[in-house]
Amino acid sequence: MIQQANLSVESQWQKELKQSFSRLDDLLSFLEISTENIDQHNEARRLFAMRVPKPFAKLMTPGDIDDPLLKQVMPSVQEFETKAGFITDPLDEHNSEQPGLLHKYKSRVLIMFKTGCAVNCRYCFRRHFPYADNSVNKSQLKQHLQYLEDHPEINEVILSGGDPLMAKDDAISWFVSQLELIPNIRRLRIHTRLPVVIPSRITQALCDILKNSRLKTIMVLHINHENEISPELANGLLKLKQANCTLLNQAVLLKNINDNVATQVNLSERLFEVGILPYYLHLFDKVDGASHFNVDEADAKRVYSEMLVELPGFLMPKLVREIGGEASKTPISL
């Protein structure tokens, strides 16, 4: 009976995923926003496909074309603009040790466990990533496991993508069980946005996998604005906490979305209310087609300085920039 209940919950998130919006006019109609003169914006889907789950769309304010959640996922004619310094591979990731495996940092390995995403954020630094060349099957995952055994300096595995929680629970269960057999692996980190946009993805089966593992599990969510934290997400996070999962958040500083002190303070406070600690506040990765999201470093420092006045230290994310080829993220000095 328990297994049947888990399957029912899992099918719920998969069903919601299939109901995602893929056209801008459909999304705007749902939000009761005029669809006149949006054809040129809709064309940006040719550059980067649009995908917006309905649970996430329900968090947007009807009638508001400037809603901060809508602006993150809405295709825009600005994506056709080219700007010096904005490139397709800002983090130098397109050539990896093995397909789907990135060993950028000494003690950690990133595995692109699932190359699809539940939501296509228009500012995504991997919007040009060759996912077709980096998708992995079970045989390739076994090669990755061998790589981990051959590199005893690695003690942490980061599941990324795409979004690793696009994988079904049984696939996650198998991989976790294999990681547990490698003595040098101590921690499993899961980078995901899926529970934010489809909260039903936090299934009891997933929680049980993490709770019963010998590995210390950290889930790093991607939340940019307090309005993304729904009651349904808060309930799911409680289940993860009960499964002994450490919850962190990484956000991206985005122009005209969250690049002001009040929004950042409210985000940190709301994160803590639902059991998440702020971890990173990233400066925008300069990816081609998304320059309109960029916040100047001087403005970012100003916002961060004012956050220090408003927030206790434990609610201050680290302000960082990721630079391709560097051995760690680069802290931004004030």
Side-chain angles (χ1 to χ4, degrees):
M1 292 298 292
I2 293 176
Q3 185 178 11
Q4 290 177 348
N6 285 338
L7 287 173
S8 175
V9 172
E10 186 173 32
S11 65
Q12 180 182 344
W13 74 264
Q14 291 174 312
K15 181 179 179 180
E16 290 176 322
L17 182 65
K18 291 177 181 177
Q19 294 173 343
S20 298
F21 294 102
S22 60
R23 290 186 55 84
L24 180 56
D25 44 353
D26 292 335
L27 175 60
L28 294 184
S29 294
F30 175 78
L31 294 171
E32 302 173 7
I33 296 172
S34 173
T35 58
E36 292 183 14
N37 303 318
I38 57 92
D39 288 346
Q40 58 182 343
H41 295 290
N42 217 3
E43 277 292 295
R45 295 183 305 126
R46 292 193 289 108
L47 301 176
F48 186 39
M50 175 182 155
R51 187 182 227 181
V52 183
K54 189 169 287 186
F56 192 61
K58 288 180 178 178
L59 301 179
M60 301 171 188
T61 303
D64 185 5
I65 192 69
D66 291 319
D67 179 272
L69 277 57
L70 174 61
K71 290 171 77 171
Q72 295 179 55
V73 297
M74 177 177 167
S76 169
V77 67
Q78 292 174 290
E79 296 176 44
F80 289 97
E81 298 174 1
T82 58
K83 190 171 181 179
F86 289 77
I87 58 178
T88 57
D89 185 14
L91 302 188
D92 192 23
E93 292 185 332
H94 290 196
N95 297 308
S96 56
E97 303 255 353
Q98 296 180 13
L101 184 147
L102 296 173
H103 191 176
K104 297 195 292 185
Y105 307 138
K106 180 179 178 181
S107 62
R108 288 94 71 203
V109 156
L110 185 147
I111 293 175
M112 294 190 175
F113 194 67
K114 203 71 175 176
T115 51
C117 274
V119 61
N120 284 352
C121 302
R122 310 310 295 182
Y123 54 85
C124 182
F125 68 92
R126 288 190 182 135
R127 58 181 286 157
H128 302 286
F129 190 81
Y131 283 119
D133 299 328
N134 285 274
S135 60
V136 294
N137 54 32
K138 200 166 187 176
S139 175
Q140 290 165 318
L141 286 174
K142 288 179 179 179
Q143 293 177 28
H144 295 347
L145 291 165
Q146 184 61 54
Y147 184 93
L148 298 175
E149 289 189 38
D150 294 341
H151 291 78
E153 74 275 15
I154 298 171
N155 59 28
E156 180 174 326
V157 172
I158 303 169
L159 298 187
S160 183
D163 196 308
L165 292 189
M166 289 286 280
K168 295 180 181 179
D169 289 333
D170 57 353
I172 295 172
S173 178
W174 172 81
F175 191 70
V176 170
S177 69
Q178 298 305 301
L179 287 179
E180 291 173 336
L181 300 176
I182 304 174
N184 47 294
I185 303 302
R186 303 175 187 171
R187 292 185 300 275
L188 172 67
R189 199 186 329 165
I190 301 171
H191 284 197
T192 182
R193 188 151 165 79
L194 210 163
V196 180
V197 299
I198 304 179
S200 61
R201 180 60 190 93
I202 304 176
T203 63
Q204 188 58 52
L206 175 64
C207 293
D208 289 343
I209 292 166
L210 303 181
K211 183 177 182 178
N212 295 327
S213 176
R214 74 160 180 84
L215 303 173
K216 295 292 184 182
T217 305
I218 306 99
M219 185 173 289
V220 183
L221 294 141
H222 178 180
I223 302 170
N224 294 318
H225 195 282
E226 63 170 321
N227 292 356
E228 298 175 29
I229 304 174
S230 64
E232 293 79 11
L233 175 60
N235 289 336
L237 296 174
L238 181 59
K239 293 197 296 182
L240 287 169
K241 294 286 283 187
Q242 292 169 342
N244 301 319
C245 184
T246 298
L247 300 177
L248 304 175
N249 185 63
Q250 58 180 352
V252 181
L253 196 61
L254 300 167
K255 189 171 185 178
N256 298 325
I257 292 174
N258 63 3
D259 58 333
N260 63 79
V261 178
T263 301
Q264 287 296 328
V265 168
N266 291 341
L267 173 59
S268 283
E269 293 283 5
R270 181 65 178 135
L271 288 170
F272 190 67
E273 286 178 2
V274 297
I276 307 173
L277 278 176
Y279 177 38
Y280 281 135
L281 178 58
H282 288 267
L283 294 190
F284 179 75
D285 296 315
K286 294 186 176 183
V287 63
D288 182 51
S291 61
H292 52 292
F293 290 107
N294 188 50
V295 177
D296 290 339
E297 187 169 318
D299 291 332
K301 289 180 178 181
R302 176 186 53 77
V303 171
Y304 195 75
S305 295
E306 294 181 27
M307 289 169 61
L308 285 166
V309 176
E310 300 287 340
L311 289 168
F314 63 90
L315 290 187
M316 284 296 298
K318 299 174 185 176
L319 183 64
V320 299
R321 182 187 293 282
E322 188 156 5
I323 301 172
E326 294 295 316
S328 67
K329 289 182 171 60
T330 302
I332 301 301
S333 172
L334 299 182

